[in-house]
Amino acid sequence: DENPKREWSLSDFEIGKPLGKGKFGRVYVAREVKSKFVVALKVIFKEQIERYKIHHQLRREMEIQFSLKHQNVLRLYGWFHDSDRVYLILEYAHNGELYKELSKKGHFSEKQAATYILSLTKALAYCHEKHVIHRDIKPENLLLDHEGRLKIADFGWSVQSRSKRHTMCGTLDYLAPEMVENKAHDYAVDNWTLGILCYEFLYGAPPFEAESQVDTFKRIMKVDLTFPSTPYVSSEAKNLISRLLVKDSSRRLSLQKIMEHPWIIKNGNPMGV
Ligand SMILES: Clc1cnc2c(Nc3ccc(N4CCOCC4)cc3)nc(-c3cccnc3)cn12
């Protein structure tokens, strides 16, 4: 419900099945007893907060997440704690993880890919407006709601899903050159990542994937971009990807220009589904 002042406690919820577990805790489906409203409850152990010294990150991420109210950003409705755990009350994304959808389908159609990229672009434009950058957007942090609408669901540490794809933790695939080189990064890192995701949505794998992190690093720094010849990826899609995967961050296509790109106009559904 909308009044965040309210003090919540564990007895307000019936806990359901675990959805996934991470370094800091687990995520469960839960239902608020009175309203029967279904949420995701993220449980973080206080001794993990101590051990990894993430008080500040946790507080900053919670304040950011709590302030973001956009249809493509997963809502943080509130939080509470008990003696040894902190609980985040989150919007439940009924259709789970986008990347599971991607692995199941192999690749998305141009319409589906453009619709997801449009949703992401709108969410990022909203985040940048609120001076929030580097949302670490990778398929693992993207969820789908009951209508199949995309939700960015990251608070600075992703919850490793139960599936085997642990290559994600620590992967360089989604990082822009200035990130990989550990230079000061600005808003434009998110534009680069949109290019990576657009490629992955259409081809089923990120563009600079390689056997080793070192090789991925080299391919990112060289912007070693090649497009497999397939009939189902249009030249407009390749044009958009090529305008985002640009080493000079100041020359990447802006979020506004992405929304106006011919491929997005032609294939993206503004309703998000
Ligand atoms: Cl935060 C947050 C909000 N909603 C979710 C969610 N929702 C969700 C829904 C449905 C299905 N299933 C649908 C039927 O087939 C089986 C999976 C999975 C996750 N999952 C995670 C999560 C986290 C870590 C690993 N894995 C999933 C975090 N979430």
Side-chain angles (χ1 to χ4, degrees):
D1 70 358
E2 282 308 310
N3 69 326
K5 316 280 179 287
R6 141 121 211 230
E7 290 301 311
W8 294 100
S9 80
L10 201 48
S11 59
D12 291 317
F13 299 94
E14 286 162 345
I15 311 293
K17 66 180 169 58
L19 291 166
K21 61 183 172 14
K23 205 160 65 164
F24 303 109
R26 293 163 181 243
V27 184
Y28 298 85
V29 196
R31 188 166 62 177
E32 202 276 316
V33 174
K34 288 194 195 63
S35 63
K36 302 236 175 300
F37 191 71
V38 176
V39 294
L41 208 55
K42 189 177 204 173
V43 183
I44 305 163
F45 296 105
K46 286 185 175 176
E47 46 104 15
Q48 297 289 63
I49 295 173
E50 308 295 329
R51 178 182 311 165
Y52 294 103
K53 305 254 173 297
I54 54 162
H55 301 80
H56 319 291
Q57 175 189 347
L58 180 60
R59 177 154 303 286
R60 184 167 46 80
E61 290 298 339
M62 286 163 68
E63 262 137 26
I64 290 173
Q65 196 71 26
F66 191 67
S67 71
L68 296 178
K69 294 178 171 59
H70 185 275
Q71 70 170 9
N72 298 114
V73 178
L74 201 80
R75 284 291 305 281
L76 171 63
Y77 297 124
W79 57 79
F80 58 94
H81 64 98
D82 59 21
S83 55
D84 51 8
R85 282 166 293 218
V86 173
Y87 301 84
L88 307 187
I89 309 166
L90 293 157
E91 176 183 357
Y92 178 58
H94 291 72
N95 276 315
E97 296 169 279
L98 181 141
Y99 98 84
K100 285 214 174 116
E101 180 80 5
L102 181 58
S103 342
K104 203 164 65 181
K105 289 186 170 171
H107 65 84
F108 294 137
S109 69
E110 291 208 284
K111 291 215 173 306
Q112 187 64 76
T115 299
Y116 286 149
I117 293 298
L118 180 54
S119 302
L120 273 167
T121 304
K122 288 182 197 168
L124 287 174
Y126 171 80
C127 289
H128 289 187
E129 222 172 85
K130 306 206 37 149
H131 309 299
V132 171
I133 59 168
H134 185 40
R135 303 300 300 151
D136 188 14
I137 41 176
K138 49 184 180 265
E140 253 59 18
N141 289 339
L142 304 177
L143 296 168
L144 298 168
D145 74 1
H146 61 290
E147 289 175 309
R149 202 186 298 277
L150 178 142
K151 302 273 179 178
I152 299 182
D154 67 316
F155 322 98
W157 59 91
S158 64
V159 181
Q160 301 308 321
S161 74
R162 297 152 67 107
S163 73
K164 59 220 167 295
R165 189 170 154 176
H166 288 288
T167 50
M168 286 306 293
C169 47
T171 183
L172 299 178
D173 281 308
Y174 303 89
L175 294 183
E178 62 272 24
M179 284 290 291
V180 168
E181 278 186 310
N182 216 346
K183 281 183 184 162
H185 65 276
D186 66 1
Y187 293 84
V189 293
D190 290 336
N191 303 51
W192 170 278
T193 307
L194 280 174
I196 299 286
L197 285 171
C198 191
Y199 186 101
E200 180 163 12
F201 288 166
L202 290 168
Y203 293 101
F208 307 121
E209 201 171 46
E211 282 314 301
S212 70
Q213 285 215 346
V214 170
D215 291 345
T216 303
F217 173 88
K218 284 179 192 160
R219 295 197 63 199
I220 290 171
M221 298 317 289
K222 265 175 57 186
V223 191
D224 171 21
L225 179 63
T226 56
F227 294 106
S229 56
T230 40
Y232 61 77
V233 180
S234 62
S235 51
E236 289 95 345
K238 294 174 192 170
N239 174 275
L240 175 57
I241 292 166
S242 310
R243 310 274 298 276
L244 291 169
L245 299 183
V246 173
K247 184 130 189 226
D248 176 350
S249 62
S250 65
R251 291 184 46 248
R252 287 171 202 156
L253 210 57
S254 70
L255 297 176
Q256 191 50 45
K257 287 282 176 232
I258 297 171
M259 292 184 223
E260 296 161 3
H261 189 278
W263 183 69
I264 294 288
I265 298 291
K266 184 173 158 203
N267 295 286
N269 180 339
M271 293 308 294
V273 280

